[in-house]
Amino acid sequence: MKTVYVDNNATTQVAPEVIEAMLPYFSEYYGNPSSMHFFGGQVQKKVNEAREKVADFLGAEPSEIVFTSCGTESDNAAIFGTLDSYPEKRHLITSRVEHPAVMNVSSFLSRKGYRTSEIAVDREGRLDLDELREAITDQTAIVSIMYANNETGVIFPVETIGEIVKSNGIPFHTDAVQAAGKIPLNLKKSTIDLLSISGHKLHAPKGIGVLYIRKGTKFSPFMIGGHQEKGRRGGTENVPYIIGLGKACELAKKHLEDENTRVKALRDYLESKILEKIPNTLVNGDRSNRLPNTVSVSFEYVEGESILLLLSDLGICASSGSACTSGSLEPSHVLRAMGVPFTAAHGSIRFSLSIYNTKEEMDYIIEHLPPIIQRLRDISPFWKDYLKSQGKG
Amino acid sequence: MWDYTEKVKDHFLNPRNVGEVENPDGLGEVGSLACGDALRLSFKLDEQKRIKEVKFKTFGCASAIASSSALTEMIKGMTLEEAERVTNQDIADYLGGLPEEKMHCSVMGREALESAIANYRGQKVVKEDFEIICKCFGVTDREIIKAIRENDLKTVEQVTYYTKAGGGCAQCHPKIESIIEQVRKEMEKEGLTPKPEKKKLTNIQKIKLIEETLGREIVPALKADGGDIDLIDVDGNKVYVALRGKCSFCPSSEFTLKQYVESKLKEFVSDDLVVEEVKP
């Protein structure tokens, strides 16, 4: 059975070039970059080169790049590291559609006595900027709002958000895990103070992330230990993965155009064919402000896990915001925050593409998806009721 | 990814008895679009009042579809009295087990069956008579108590897995906790908290084995004395029987029951069974 992998917002294939770049650092070059001898020193040099590549990709200075273990650590470090720098301020602002790495930190802090505000989104997943303006107080220690949403691909106007936040003298963090590698980022001309990325979402392996910290931003280390990363993150550098991430960022910069032309065209093709061939289907999220690789569609009157398993049976790997897939009982907090009706929220499927996807793969999905939905609708008690209500039953 | 058994996968990929029975004798509906799963079950009886035809339509995940399909296969040919004794655990067992988080799918099957039988009998399962504990999923105290008793549940998390109650905003967790405490106290008093069994039988297996044992070991001996015995019900480890014929007024019937019937059932079925006589 062939595998059609369209779940790249979950994780991506490690690029062969990345693996190749990493391998020597498992075997020959195993030195510790902090060591005084030449054997560690040569590794240190390569780590610095990787740091430069990441900085170049983000439009940042190498000194502003801190390597972490993952996107979640970066998010935690940004929030806790800032709160610790402003101990007198007891309020933070996030949005209602954040990744759990921010959302659950916010609820943790709420239990610890912090005041937390979560900015609402509209039916299209767009942020309510007026609500943000009103939420800011002189007690606000940090605003953390994602760059682009993992489930719908909706891109937030981070620079506008940053202007609002910065004009109040508050540090601004953004989780750019889904944006990096899919849309151009340039932190040189930006209002962002702190930004998180994750290696495995851009063809590096799992277990490596970055926290960008703008020069001059107050920050206390979250991971306390040695002097590594200029005292901002303790722990011996994960050398092979740092090398891999450097390579992945170099490739991502090169592939950005392909991502925004060919991949986008593939996504648009897939989306339009699904809408054309399957009735009672809707796209979740603002289609005009969206990552080029992501489409979230809801099929009314059927349930997401069933769709995923039938797709999986044909080798197609996607994901769903339905309740049953996560083990929770409610559909994703993102779709609920957007007010997607229950008829559709349980039947949402996300396809997220990468540069490795092809037109043939899209055609394979388009061929097999409509009968799957029809089959589940034939089993669903609500589909017939719906047809009857439309005078078609 | 869920660790579904081959049987769950088979019933999901090749569901049996999909559809709606025309002019059904009984029709049951549970769940809703908002809750994320729903089941519509309809059946028709034959002249012997056995389930001749049964069909389902389900909106839900793979295990919800598989549980519905399994249920229809299980109850086909049963009388309603037999079908009533099918528990959610029987459905899960038939499928070779379900992930614990998905047990509510089997409970949904049992509830739909209950509602369809009530519909046939012209009764109505009125939710209003009971207190709604979980507002997110509309789960009543009755459903929670039933799930705790039938599945020997001990934690709020388990109650959520089996009934969905508490799976939303979590505000009802303290209430669920106190229900668990109360029900388990009652169960302890009734001697229902289980001692480890030799091998765990499903209720259907247990009932079948009891019937077989009665027929093979006990009825012939009683008949020789002009008596007989009928199995009335099985509830947990309690076996309710009625003595017939000469046995029904025999002064040593108490002795017969305890020493003879109970010991045989303990020997052949399960050593925690207690036999009780139902007086006519």
Side-chain angles (χ1 to χ4, degrees), chain B residues 206-221:
Chain B
K206 200 190 277 177
I207 290 163
K208 273 202 182 137
L209 209 50
I210 291 171
E211 276 176 338
E212 280 172 27
T213 310
L214 287 177
R216 192 183 60 230
E217 303 287 338
I218 296 159
V219 173

Side-chain angles (χ1 to χ4, degrees), chain B residues 4-277:
Chain B
Y4 286 134
T5 63
E6 286 307 314
K7 199 124 190 228
V8 172
K9 283 182 207 159
D10 176 39
H11 275 266
F12 167 60
L13 293 173
N14 312 294
R16 281 65 148 180
N17 311 310
V18 174
E20 288 175 54
V21 175
E22 254 181 76
N23 305 316
D25 291 324
L27 174 70
E29 281 184 277
V30 290
S32 73
L33 264 172
C35 290
D37 46 20
L39 168 54
R40 185 180 294 168
L41 190 77
S42 49
F43 67 77
K44 223 176 170 53
L45 301 176
D46 62 14
E47 293 87 42
Q48 278 87 49
K49 298 283 175 204
R50 287 185 177 274
I51 296 170
K52 185 174 75 178
E53 196 187 2
V54 52
K55 289 191 168 179
F56 80 93
K57 280 213 162 181
T58 291
F59 160 76
C61 56
S63 53
I65 291 171
S67 295
S68 313
S69 167
L71 172 68
T72 57
E73 286 287 280
M74 289 167 75
I75 63 174
K76 212 184 269 180
M78 280 187 179
T79 64
L80 293 184
E81 289 69 31
E82 287 164 340
E84 262 177 323
R85 290 190 208 123
V86 174
T87 65
N88 71 286
Q89 190 60 49
D90 295 330
I91 299 172
D93 288 344
Y94 182 90
L95 289 168
L98 282 173
E100 194 173 32
E101 294 90 329
K102 296 280 191 176
M103 283 303 287
H104 60 86
C105 297
S106 66
V107 173
M108 180 168 80
R110 204 253 300 132
E111 282 176 356
L113 175 61
E114 199 176 65
S115 141
I117 292 175
N119 169 264
Y120 166 74
R121 290 179 178 154
Q123 303 157 335
K124 232 176 137 58
V125 183
V126 198
K127 277 213 168 187
E128 286 71 43
D129 290 354
F130 307 98
E131 188 192 352
I132 291 190
I133 302 293
C134 169
K135 295 203 173 77
C136 296
F137 292 103
V139 188
T140 63
D141 53 353
R142 174 178 176 273
E143 291 161 278
I144 294 172
I145 292 168
K146 198 160 178 179
I148 296 172
R149 283 182 162 271
E150 284 181 358
N151 300 286
D152 189 29
L153 307 183
K154 297 182 180 74
T155 64
V156 175
E157 195 178 40
Q158 283 182 316
V159 168
T160 306
Y161 292 157
Y162 280 73
T163 65
K164 298 178 111 181
C169 72
Q171 272 181 16
C172 61
H173 282 195
K175 266 192 181 166
I176 296 176
E177 228 161 88
S178 65
I179 293 177
I180 295 174
E181 202 183 325
Q182 197 187 326
V183 173
R184 293 205 68 84
K185 254 187 213 154
E186 287 166 16
M187 286 167 73
E188 224 165 281
K189 265 191 214 152
E190 295 157 26
L192 285 180
T193 35
K195 296 162 203 95
E197 281 176 45
K198 272 192 286 195
K199 55 175 180 192
K200 204 163 159 32
L201 294 168
T202 68
N203 270 358
I204 287 192
Q205 289 169 330
K206 200 190 277 177
I207 290 163
K208 273 202 182 137
L209 209 50
I210 291 171
E211 276 176 338
E212 280 172 27
T213 310
L214 287 177
R216 192 183 60 230
E217 303 287 338
I218 296 159
V219 173
L222 294 184
K223 279 205 169 149
D225 288 334
D228 203 352
I229 188 167
D230 279 338
L231 177 64
I232 304 299
D233 201 1
V234 177
D235 188 1
N237 62 347
K238 288 212 171 113
V239 183
Y240 295 96
V241 296
L243 292 167
R244 308 289 190 209
K246 281 189 178 169
C247 293
S248 56
F249 45 83
C250 169
S252 61
S253 66
E254 182 71 35
F255 181 80
T256 307
L257 270 180
K258 283 293 165 194
Q259 295 306 310
Y260 191 58
V261 178
E262 201 175 276
S263 69
K264 284 287 175 196
L265 290 180
K266 282 187 174 180
E267 183 185 344
F268 289 101
V269 185
S270 172
D271 52 13
D272 66 352
L273 292 180
V274 180
V275 176
E276 301 255 10
E277 189 185 357

Side-chain angles (χ1 to χ4, degrees), chain A residues 208-220:
Chain A
I208 184 78
V210 163
L211 178 61
Y212 159 88
I213 307 173
R214 178 179 294 281
K215 210 181 280 177
T217 305
K218 271 199 182 182
F219 179 80
S220 311

Side-chain angles (χ1 to χ4, degrees), chain A residues 195-216:
Chain A
L195 174 140
S196 308
I197 71 171
S198 167
H200 75 103
K201 310 282 192 194
L202 48 110
H203 306 291
K206 296 150 193 76
I208 184 78
V210 163
L211 178 61
Y212 159 88
I213 307 173
R214 178 179 294 281
K215 210 181 280 177

